[in-house]
Amino acid sequence: MFARAALRNSVRAPASARYFSQTAAANRKVAVLGASGGIGQPLSLLMKLNPKVTELRLYDIRLAPGVAADLSHINTPAVTSGYAKDDLEGAVDGAEIVLIPAGMPRKPGMTRDDLFNSNASIVRDLAKTVAKVAPKAYIGIISNPVNSTVPIVAEVFKKAGVYDPKRLFGVTTLDTTRAATFLSGITGTDPQTTNVPVIGGHSGVTIVPLISQAPQGDKVQAGEQLDKLVHRIQFGGDEVVKAKDGAGSATLSMAYAAAVFTEGLLKGLDGEAVTQCTFVESPLFKDQVDFFASPVEFGPEGVKNIPALPKLTAEEQKLLDACLPDLAKNIKKGVAWVAENP
Ligand code: NAD
Ligand code: LMR
């Protein structure tokens, strides 16, 4: 059999890039699981371009060594390796950050919850291996339905006795990305400095944008204009699914969003003050939901602090009231499923 070590050596980064890796502040190993997919490939490219990343491990059930060979010719620090279908453990072993975009995307007419049956077992099985060989990794879950896949990973880690809620994140950055883009489209402000917190979960009405918290938010007229903006942020994913016409869902914007998330996490690990919205185990509405997306402060431990929410407007409170029961159902579904399908 073609030795795994040889396979990995064949896609090592060139010597010039290795020189730069020696100057990196810390040894940052990132693994992408589902690396050959619509999100996985551009996300892996963005990770290869991130100078903080010293080692990049790509895993998929198909094509990962090829994607890694391609990326490994880019002269940036990250030493890039591709792992074959039967070498998930090799890919994850020693990884500090594990990003998971593995699984089926939506087709028109589907909800994210319709992906549950195909993606729950994919995420569970990947999580089992991460719990075994990289129990201390910071894990970013991209695979949908995020409202259920994150609780699934938490249950797998609990069962393995290695769960640390500070290290598990549902990546909801695409919601804040869209909110900034759509709001700045109305207000004419710079989209890169427009910042709208988006709380709740990552699906339809569980997505709750807090337009009142953006400095530009008061430029949106209450009533039809605000309602349309909120609806567009909540259902922005459907726009892409419809436009791709059966060929999948958001991939490039998602890869960008996951790269923003990972950069925030890396900065937090380096002790920089960073706050981003992400779906984590949260005390904010503990009596109704164990997981909730809100602005989270990152630190060396992962989740450093989950600040209390700001005062919501009456409209935002209505949105939150609609979010919580749906979110609770999605979370319970994930937990119940792992209990029945350990
Ligand atoms: P895709 O079909 O293009 O890619 C998925 C990849 O996962 C494929 O390469 C496939 O081979 C791989 N895969 C399948 N089973 C695997 C396994 N057991 N181990 C490793 N890899 C496996 O899909 P995509 O467009 O990249 O979307 C991936 C997921 O991300 C979907 O579930 C989608 O709904 C979700 N998504 C989430 C967000 C978000 O905001 N969190 C945004 C967009 C998409
Ligand atoms: C998104 O928000 O674009 C993703 O969750 C993919 C989808 O199914 O809409």
Side-chain angles (χ1 to χ4, degrees):
M1 195 183 108
F2 191 42
R4 283 171 192 159
L7 183 68
R8 291 198 284 273
N9 281 337
S10 72
V11 293
R12 283 213 178 278
S16 59
R18 283 208 295 278
Y19 168 76
F20 289 110
S21 74
Q22 286 162 8
T23 65
N27 201 14
R28 301 291 189 217
K29 294 182 190 172
V30 176
V32 180
L33 313 184
S36 310
I39 296 166
Q41 290 205 32
L43 174 56
S44 300
L45 171 62
L46 292 168
M47 291 299 99
K48 177 72 177 122
L49 299 183
N50 188 323
K52 289 194 177 72
V53 177
T54 54
E55 199 178 325
L56 181 58
R57 316 264 191 90
L58 305 188
Y59 175 79
D60 200 295
I61 51 173
R62 57 183 195 104
L63 296 178
V67 175
D70 188 356
L71 288 178
S72 72
H73 292 190
I74 298 172
N75 60 330
T76 54
V79 176
T80 303
S81 316
Y83 292 79
K85 184 182 176 176
D86 64 353
D87 197 10
L88 175 59
E89 285 200 13
V92 170
D93 190 19
E96 189 177 29
I97 295 180
V98 177
L99 302 171
I100 307 188
M104 294 286 292
R106 283 199 286 164
K107 288 191 178 347
M110 290 173 82
T111 65
R112 291 179 185 81
D113 187 55
D114 292 335
L115 297 171
F116 189 99
N117 289 342
S118 47
N119 291 351
S121 56
I122 293 175
V123 171
R124 175 201 60 196
D125 293 347
L126 293 172
K128 279 185 187 175
T129 298
V130 181
K132 182 178 162 201
V133 299
K136 295 273 180 207
Y138 305 89
I139 307 168
I141 305 294
I142 297 166
S143 316
N144 271 317
V146 166
N147 293 356
S148 305
T149 50
V150 171
I152 286 173
V153 175
E155 291 305 306
V156 169
F157 269 63
K158 281 179 201 167
K159 191 149 189 275
V162 293
Y163 179 52
D164 178 355
K166 291 180 168 23
R167 291 172 188 250
L168 175 60
F169 305 83
V171 183
T172 57
T173 322
L174 185 51
D175 299 319
T176 49
T177 305
R178 285 186 177 129
T181 305
F182 301 159
L183 174 61
S184 66
I186 292 173
T187 59
T189 46
D190 175 1
Q192 294 229 283
T193 54
T194 304
N195 188 1
V196 185
V198 182
I199 64 170
H202 177 67
S203 169
V205 299
T206 71
I207 297 171
V208 177
L210 303 183
I211 306 296
S212 70
Q213 294 303 309
Q216 307 84 349
D218 57 4
K219 295 203 178 113
V220 181
Q221 285 163 15
E224 199 186 335
Q225 191 179 38
L226 178 62
D227 294 348
K228 271 191 179 160
L229 174 61
V230 168
H231 186 272
R232 191 169 180 213
I233 296 165
Q234 290 184 320
F235 295 93
D238 299 38
E239 266 183 36
V240 183
V241 170
K242 194 170 165 218
K244 289 199 173 176
D245 199 16
S249 56
T251 53
L252 302 173
S253 52
M254 181 59 234
Y256 167 79
V260 169
F261 164 79
T262 310
E263 175 65 7
L265 196 55
L266 286 165
K267 282 184 174 164
L269 297 183
D270 285 342
E272 282 185 54
V274 176
T275 300
Q276 285 194 9
C277 291
T278 173
F279 185 68
V280 292
E281 185 173 317
S282 172
L284 292 182
F285 297 96
K286 196 72 188 158
D287 51 334
Q288 293 170 77
V289 290
D290 285 335
F291 294 86
F292 192 79
S294 68
V296 170
E297 293 170 18
F298 292 161
E301 61 276 70
V303 175
K304 185 176 176 194
N305 183 35
I306 302 176
L309 290 180
K311 188 167 164 40
L312 306 187
T313 64
E315 288 84 5
E316 289 164 353
Q317 186 59 51
K318 261 193 225 155
L319 294 173
L320 181 60
D321 292 343
C323 155
L324 288 169
D326 264 31
L327 185 54
K329 261 188 243 157
N330 296 158
I331 293 168
K332 275 193 194 119
K333 182 172 175 176
V335 173
W337 182 85
V338 201
E340 282 163 25
N341 304 275

